[in-house]
Amino acid sequence: MTRRPGLSVRLRLTLSYAGFLAVAGALLLAVVWGFLLRYVPDNPQGLLGVSPNRYLLVRTFFPAAAVAMAFLLVFGLVGGWILAGRMLAPLTRITAATRRAGNGSLSHRIRLEGRQDEFRQLADAFDTMLEQVESHVAEQQRFAANASHELRTPLAISQTLLDVARRDPTRDRDELLARLRVVNTRAIDLTEALLLLGRSDRGNFARESVDLSLVAEEAAETLLPLAEQRGITLDVTGGATRTTGSAELLLRMVTNLVQNAVVHNLPAGGSVTVHTEAQGDASVLRVENTGHPLPPELVPTLTEPFQRGTERVRTDEHAGVGLGLAIVHSVVRAHDGTLDLVPRPAGGLLVTVRLPGMP
């Protein structure tokens, strides 16, 4: 935005200081002048040297008052300029840091020293904002790099398969098409997951009343064949638990949690329990599964995009794209909720989602 040039804040403060000092001096001189004139007689006795009169007082006091006023004005301008510069020095550092941030230097911090005041509060708030923005930008850059890598992998595999088929026309066509279909399906799943993650991050969805218990039952019914195939018991318990949000996104959230609990479970004889309940003004969803013990340091990384722990990597048809819990976290955050992941001592994971409830 282009603005017309104007007086600087330092100059305006200087003029304000000088003007205030000049007005105060003028009022003081006026008061003194008024009291002096009040008690000085207006008669010609002063001419004989007996007592002063008003004429002599004006001739004597007025030049001195004019010199004092001029001194106050100059002193106000010089002192005001110096004081304004010292007062605005922190603001100059904040402005310089803002310009550096605007040019892309997010690692710079003001770190304004001194005691707490308004400028220090502004500098500390700006440093906090820079730290958050730098962290967000770094996260987005990592996400973009990881997404590019994940998307490049199936495309590179497809190109390799096509090159092999072109060099070897006698190769089994059905096998080639089957492998291409698997690779293409993975690329489509990854693209849809990225689109869903971006949609939930923006939070631009219509909100409606949603019963988490019904959503949990629908997700469990969808994944029941997968659980039975793996010999895992899938149970849904709890009562009606209402919240507000997107039914589609909440269904994807619960589906991802249940699928994650089924896939990352014991080879056989495992269990998954989905429980919903209302706790005060919150709607709570818990997904608990058996499985192998998880290192505590691994759990915080599970909600990061494309961050797969070695203990949780799958190589079968349900390997996933590394965005399951990242989507869950994004959906929970878009619905003003909280997500807690706690490793079970006996193995497996306990996931607790708390969303704002409804009466």
Side-chain angles (χ1 to χ4, degrees):
M1 175 184 291
T2 57
R3 300 178 185 272
R4 293 182 299 175
L7 298 179
S8 65
V9 176
R10 185 177 185 182
L11 181 57
R12 282 185 287 175
L13 286 176
T14 300
L15 295 177
S16 300
Y17 294 154
F20 178 80
L21 189 59
V23 171
L27 289 176
L28 180 60
L29 293 177
V31 171
V32 173
W33 181 266
F35 275 93
L36 285 177
L37 291 181
R38 180 178 179 183
Y39 295 103
V40 174
D42 189 13
N43 53 49
Q45 294 180 0
L47 296 175
L48 302 175
V50 178
S51 62
N53 60 12
R54 293 184 182 179
Y55 175 77
L56 291 177
L57 189 61
V58 170
R59 292 289 302 272
T60 304
F61 184 75
F62 184 78
V67 172
M69 286 297 300
F71 173 78
L72 285 177
L73 184 59
V74 174
F75 180 78
L77 290 173
V78 175
W81 181 262
I82 297 175
L83 289 177
R86 291 178 60 87
M87 290 293 296
L88 295 176
L91 189 60
T92 303
R93 292 179 56 180
I94 296 174
T95 303
T98 305
R99 288 174 177 169
R100 294 183 63 175
N103 293 330
S105 177
L106 299 178
S107 60
H108 176 69
R109 298 293 182 270
I110 302 173
R111 293 188 177 90
L112 198 61
E113 62 279 353
R115 296 185 178 182
Q116 186 77 349
D117 59 14
E118 287 80 359
F119 284 121
R120 272 73 183 179
Q121 292 177 356
L122 177 61
D124 293 343
F126 189 80
D127 284 344
T128 303
M129 183 194 68
L130 278 180
E131 184 176 355
Q132 294 176 352
V133 171
E134 184 183 19
S135 175
H136 181 71
V137 170
E139 180 182 354
Q140 293 298 320
Q141 290 175 347
R142 279 197 312 272
F143 178 81
N146 291 331
S148 300
H149 175 74
E150 294 288 337
L151 284 172
R152 183 178 60 184
T153 299
L155 294 178
I157 295 176
S158 299
Q159 183 178 1
T160 301
L161 292 175
L162 292 175
D163 291 341
V164 170
R166 184 178 58 183
R167 290 194 299 266
D168 186 8
T170 62
R171 190 177 182 88
D172 188 357
R173 179 181 178 183
D174 293 336
E175 179 187 357
L176 174 63
L177 292 178
R179 296 185 64 180
L180 282 175
R181 179 178 179 82
V182 171
V183 174
N184 189 55
T185 301
R186 179 176 175 81
I188 293 175
D189 292 341
L190 176 59
T191 304
E192 291 180 349
L194 290 173
L195 292 175
L196 181 63
L197 186 61
R199 178 187 171 193
S200 58
D201 281 338
R202 292 192 301 269
N204 54 351
F205 51 83
R207 294 180 178 269
E208 57 182 317
S209 176
V210 180
D211 189 347
L212 289 180
S213 63
L214 299 180
V215 174
E217 291 177 359
E218 182 177 354
E221 183 179 356
T222 303
L223 294 171
L224 184 58
L226 176 63
E228 293 177 346
Q229 177 185 351
R230 294 171 177 267
I232 295 173
T233 304
L234 179 58
D235 294 324
V236 179
T237 62
T241 307
R242 307 197 70 84
T243 185
T244 57
S246 169
E248 178 186 357
L249 291 178
L250 291 175
L251 176 60
R252 176 57 69 95
M253 176 195 73
V254 179
T255 302
N256 283 5
L257 287 175
V258 176
Q259 182 176 1
N260 186 77
V262 171
V263 172
H264 302 290
N265 212 306
L266 296 175
S271 65
V272 175
T273 302
V274 184
H275 180 75
T276 59
E277 64 176 317
Q279 292 183 354
D281 57 351
S283 297
V284 180
L285 169 75
R286 291 192 183 92
V287 179
E288 185 176 6
N289 71 311
T290 56
H292 299 290
L294 292 175
E297 63 274 9
L298 176 67
V299 175
T301 67
L302 296 180
T303 57
E304 297 181 10
F306 308 109
Q307 300 298 318
R308 305 184 185 94
T310 55
E311 292 84 354
R312 297 173 62 83
V313 171
R314 304 289 301 191
T315 58
D316 54 13
E317 69 276 11
H318 297 283
V321 295
L323 291 175
L325 289 179
I327 292 176
V328 170
H329 187 213
S330 179
V331 172
V332 171
R333 185 171 49 193
H335 287 78
D336 303 322
T338 59
L339 176 66
D340 296 323
L341 282 73
V342 179
R344 299 173 69 246
L349 192 66
L350 172 61
V351 181
T352 303
V353 176
R354 289 182 174 85
L355 300 176
M358 287 185 59

